[in-house]
């Protein structure tokens, strides 16, 4: 009987020691701390044909310029230097004389944050994906107008409020192109309901998805822009091409009778951060052809001795 009691006591002691060790281990694991950020932010222009401030982007009344101001519903995802998401910031509505300036505020949750740490900002969402476009400018503005910034922590006060360098977003990470599709006679192309415009390039560097750090994750396929419901002949498209130079772009679409039309534009360079407007006279696929250079017919006949 005494042996049994001793065994029970020993087991009890072991359980107590295990519980104490587990508690100590749990205490050693550092829990995330909530910090409050208040960061000034600025943004570059969509240049090219139109130099206009951007964020959140909108069209001018004549639709020839991209203009903008920050709005409080904008989302800016915050990541640490390893690109782990730690929070989301929003413009706080502070008025600035320049519409491209704002103050971003919000909470982040992370461990071991200290002065000089790097934070990565991504607008307008926490995934980088150009698929699913519907040809409207509104969808580009809310979903595909990607811009990035780096911020370095300059101070953390006793209330865990974080101060940092300005979030200078700089140029946008894609080109916005307005394609107006026409028939050969210059009248509006008949885009069917739920019509699809497909864009491919000869260099196969057209990006459909990016990693969070901006490097290409998926590229080389077709960028498909699908209208939803009733369609018009205008497609707004966010395009990112990682080929550094002129490329050949081919656009294909079916009309409301199911006939295939296409257009190929060689030697086109699309610059990131630019807004380009193009009218295209689409060609019926059966009327297109492939060209090649003719032989040069030299005059006379040589005699080799």
């Amino acid at each position: 009987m005494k042996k049994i009691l001793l065994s029970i006591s020993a087991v009890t002691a072991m359980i107590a020691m295990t519980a104490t060790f587990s508690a100590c281990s749990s205490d050693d694991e550092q829990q995330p701390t909530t910090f409050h950020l208040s960061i000034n932010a600025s943004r570059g222009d969509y240049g090219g044909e139109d130099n206009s401030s951007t964020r959140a982007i909108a069209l001018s009344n004549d639709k020839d310029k991209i203009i903008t101001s920050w709005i409080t519903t904008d989302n800016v995802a915050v990541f640490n230097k390893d690109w782990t998401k730690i929070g989301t910031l929003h413009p706080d509505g502070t008025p600035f004389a320049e519409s491209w300036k704002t103050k971003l505020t919000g909470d982040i949750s992370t461990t071991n944050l200290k002065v000089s740490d790097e934070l990565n900002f991504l607008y307008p969402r926490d995934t980088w994906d150009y698929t699913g476009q519907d040809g409207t400018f509104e969808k580009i503005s809310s979903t595909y107008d990607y811009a990035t910034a780096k911020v370095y922590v300059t101070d953390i006060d006793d209330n865990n409020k974080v101060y940092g360098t300005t979030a200078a977003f700089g140029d946008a990470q894609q080109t916005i192109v307005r394609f107006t599709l026409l028939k050969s006679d210059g009248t509006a192309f008949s885009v069917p309901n739920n019509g699809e415009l497909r864009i491919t390039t000869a260099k196969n560097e057209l990006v459909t998805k990016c990693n969070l750090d901006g490097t290409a994750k998926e590229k080389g396929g077709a960028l498909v822009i699908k209208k939803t419901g009733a369609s018009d002949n205008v497609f707004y498209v966010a395009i990112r091409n990682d080929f550094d130079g002129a490329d050949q772009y081919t656009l294909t679409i079916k009309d409301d009778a199911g006939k295939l039309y296409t257009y190929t534009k060689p030697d086109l360079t699309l610059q990131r951060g630019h807004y380009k407007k193009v009218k295209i006279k689409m060609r019926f696929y059966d009327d297109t052809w492939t060209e090649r250079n003719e032989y040069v017919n030299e005059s006379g006949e040589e005699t080799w001795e």
Side-chain angles (χ1 to χ4, degrees), residues 23-125:
C24 291
S25 298
S26 178
D27 291 341
D28 289 340
E29 294 177 4
Q30 190 168 6
Q31 299 301 309
T33 301
T34 298
F35 298 89
H36 183 75
L37 266 68
S38 181
I39 302 291
N40 290 329
S42 64
R43 178 67 194 275
D45 296 338
Y46 273 96
E49 289 82 353
D50 304 297
N51 293 313
S52 50
S53 298
T54 62
R55 185 76 301 108
I57 58 172
L59 289 171
S60 59
N61 290 333
D62 59 8
K63 299 184 179 181
D64 278 349
K65 294 181 180 180
I66 290 178
I67 56 176
T68 209
S69 60
W70 290 88
I71 55 178
T72 55
T73 53
D74 281 343
N75 295 311
V76 178
V78 183
F79 304 82
N80 63 17
K81 64 179 181 180
D82 298 321
W83 289 97
T84 299
K85 186 179 179 182
I86 56 177
T88 302
L89 306 182
H90 308 279
D92 71 351
T94 300
F96 285 89
E98 300 89 351
S99 62
W100 43 269
K101 291 182 178 179
T102 194
K103 186 179 291 292
L104 298 173
T105 61
D107 292 340
I108 62 172
S109 180
T110 186
T111 58
N112 299 320
L113 187 67
K114 59 185 184 300
V115 170
S116 80
D117 275 0
E118 173 188 302
L119 301 175
N120 292 295
F121 287 14
L122 177 62
Y123 178 93
R125 51 181 177 154

Side-chain angles (χ1 to χ4, degrees), residues 190-210:
S190 300
V191 178
N193 292 345
N194 304 312
E196 285 187 2
L197 176 67
R198 300 177 67 88
I199 303 174
T200 57
T201 62
K203 301 297 184 181
N204 287 320
E205 294 286 326
L206 198 63
V207 177
T208 50
K209 293 183 181 181
C210 283

Side-chain angles (χ1 to χ4, degrees), residues 70 78 83 109 120 129 139 186 195 215 233 238 242 263 269:
W70 290 88
V78 183
W83 289 97
S109 180
N120 292 295
D129 188 341
K139 191 63 176 287
T215 57
N233 66 323
D242 274 4
Y263 188 88
T269 301

Side-chain angles (χ1 to χ4, degrees), residues 210-254:
C210 283
N211 296 304
L212 292 173
D213 62 1
T215 57
K217 183 177 181 181
E218 294 181 12
K219 62 181 179 180
L223 187 62
V224 180
I225 300 89
K226 184 174 182 178
K227 293 276 192 177
T228 57
S231 300
D232 57 22
N233 66 323
V234 178
F235 287 78
Y236 289 92
V237 187
I239 299 176
R240 177 177 171 129
N241 190 339
D242 274 4
F243 181 72
D244 187 17
D247 202 348
Q248 176 175 287
Y249 289 77
T250 298
L251 288 75
T252 57
I253 191 171
K254 290 182 178 179

